[in-house]
């Protein structure tokens, strides 16, 4: 029980803290300012602006983690689309897809990578991950460009009529905190530590500058409780007969068929129960082989873009979209996500097999 709490508690603390950071940064005008800057760099071309979002989401996910992308990048993207009077869908969808598919590249990109790291032993994680990760990212970008090619045509108004931050001091503090999070997350510290520190700094700044606004900060307590309950339930289930069934379905071996089977089971399990419990349930089926472990990570990192609960990042992304008044139909999300996940998982796993 103690080991389970030690695994889950940092995830929930990170969720709560980074949401507070996002809420205060949004109030301070950080996201609107970033949207204006991106719109200027796009030079009026929709496709160029979309590609800037692709670069931002990929870099943020690889360096800062997929959950940070979902919380901090999504509001920038949505604010940018709103200000430029463009459809938000192509920008929102590529952000959530890359928040998942780009999370294979570095150990810090996803909690599941950190959980798996000690099993790689003397073999470098990056030596195995970079080729399938780049393949997954490339497939995601191409698929999104094809699916939304019509909406990416044309131009947008570059001179946006947006108010400057009302409180320049709070804006400066929020920008400084966001910038400081980059080296803090790369440093190897548990992500919850810098996230909590950032939240405390911003709460103090908001208390001093705009005390009434603190009451309006939406902390996702209900979501945190639901995630904890889900992980606890899956821990109980995977310790019993269900765990044996999942391990049996994962099979064994390092051939292409065996690796595709493992990554496929990982992706399917992640979309059913969430990627973290899916990884924990299947870890013992892959821990003895770095190649099999990477195939499992491909499944649980790249694959969970079919259901909203497939990853915590997708849940956070949906929450950010709802806060911005952007609603995406379940049918569209599932249908398009299934296509992207299937191709990305198969191609990334095949690349892994071909290069090991």
């Amino acid at each position: 029980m103690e080991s389970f709490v030690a695994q889950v508690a940092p995830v929930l603390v990170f969720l709560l803290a980074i949401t507070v950071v996002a809420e205060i940064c949004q109030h301070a005008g950080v996201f609107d300012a970033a949207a204006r800057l991106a719109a200027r760099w796009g030079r009026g071309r929709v496709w160029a602006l979309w590609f800037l979002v692709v670069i931002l989401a990929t870099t943020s996910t690889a360096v800062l983690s997929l959950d940070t992308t979902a919380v901090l990048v999504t509001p920038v993207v949505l604010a940018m689309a709103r200000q430029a009077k463009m459809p938000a869908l192509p920008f929102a969808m590529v952000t959530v897809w890359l928040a998942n598919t780009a999370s294979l590249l570095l150990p810090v990109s996803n909690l599941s990578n950190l959980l798996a790291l000690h099993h790689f032993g003397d073999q470098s994680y990056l030596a195995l991950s970079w080729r399938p990760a780049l393949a997954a990212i490339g497939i995601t970008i191409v698929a999104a460009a094809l699916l939304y090619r019509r909406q990416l045509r044309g131009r947008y108004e570059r001179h946006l009529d947006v108010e400057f931050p009302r409180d320049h001091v709070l804006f400066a503090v929020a920008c400084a905190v966001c910038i400081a999070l980059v080296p803090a997350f790369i440093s190897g510290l548990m992500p919850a530590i810098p996230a909590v520190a950032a939240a405390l700094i911003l709460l103090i700044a908001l208390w001093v500058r705009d005390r009434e606004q603190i009451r309006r900060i939406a902390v996702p307590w209900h979501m945190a409780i639901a995630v904890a309950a889900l992980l606890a339930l899956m821990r109980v289930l995977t310790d019993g007969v269900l765990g044996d069934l999942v391990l049996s379905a994962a099979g064994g071996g390092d051939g292409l068929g065996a690796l595709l089977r493992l990554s496929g089971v990982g992706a399917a399990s992640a979309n059913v129960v969430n990627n973290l419990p899916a990884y924990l349930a299947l870890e013992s089926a892959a821990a003895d082989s770095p190649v099999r472990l990477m195939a499992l990570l491909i499944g649980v990192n790249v694959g969970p873009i079919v259901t909203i609960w497939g990853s915590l990042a997708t849940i956070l992304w949906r929450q950010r979209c709802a806060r911005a008044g952007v609603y995406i139909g379940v049918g569209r999300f599932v249908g398009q996500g299934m296509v992207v996940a299937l191709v990305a998982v198969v191609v990334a796993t095949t690349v892994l097999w071909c290069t090991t």
Side-chain angles (χ1 to χ4, degrees), residues 41-67:
W41 285 353
R43 296 183 178 275
R45 297 180 178 88
V46 176
W47 69 266
L49 189 57
W50 181 83
F51 194 69
L52 285 171
V53 169
V54 166
I55 294 173
L56 176 62
T58 301
T59 304
S60 172
T61 299
V63 177
L64 301 180
S65 89
L66 71 170
D67 300 322

Side-chain angles (χ1 to χ4, degrees), residues 159-310:
H159 303 289
L160 305 179
D161 183 18
V162 182
E163 294 182 1
F164 288 96
R166 291 171 294 178
D167 189 328
H168 293 280
V169 173
L170 183 61
F171 175 77
V173 172
C175 287
V177 166
C178 288
I179 293 170
L181 280 175
V182 176
F185 282 138
I186 299 175
S187 68
L189 284 172
M190 183 181 298
I193 295 174
V196 168
L200 289 175
I201 292 171
L202 289 175
L203 282 170
I204 292 172
L206 187 62
W207 176 265
V208 173
R209 304 296 301 181
D210 189 359
R211 193 167 301 180
E212 290 296 319
Q213 184 64 29
I214 288 183
R215 300 177 183 178
R216 301 186 180 95
I217 300 298
V219 181
W221 299 108
H222 297 296
M223 183 187 300
I225 294 171
V227 170
L230 173 64
L231 294 175
L233 175 62
M234 289 312 304
R235 177 62 179 266
V236 172
L237 293 176
T238 53
D239 282 345
V241 177
L242 181 60
D244 296 335
L245 291 174
V246 172
L247 291 177
S248 176
D254 289 340
L256 177 58
L259 295 180
L260 286 171
R261 177 179 177 179
L262 178 56
S263 62
V265 171
S269 301
N271 280 296
V272 172
V273 298
N274 185 268
N275 67 329
L276 184 56
Y279 169 79
L280 294 174
L282 290 162
E283 184 182 53
S284 60
D288 59 340
S289 166
V291 175
R292 282 183 59 78
L293 197 60
M294 186 56 62
L296 172 57
L297 290 174
I298 289 172
V300 300
N301 289 6
V302 176
I305 54 176
V306 181
T307 58
I308 296 298
W309 57 86

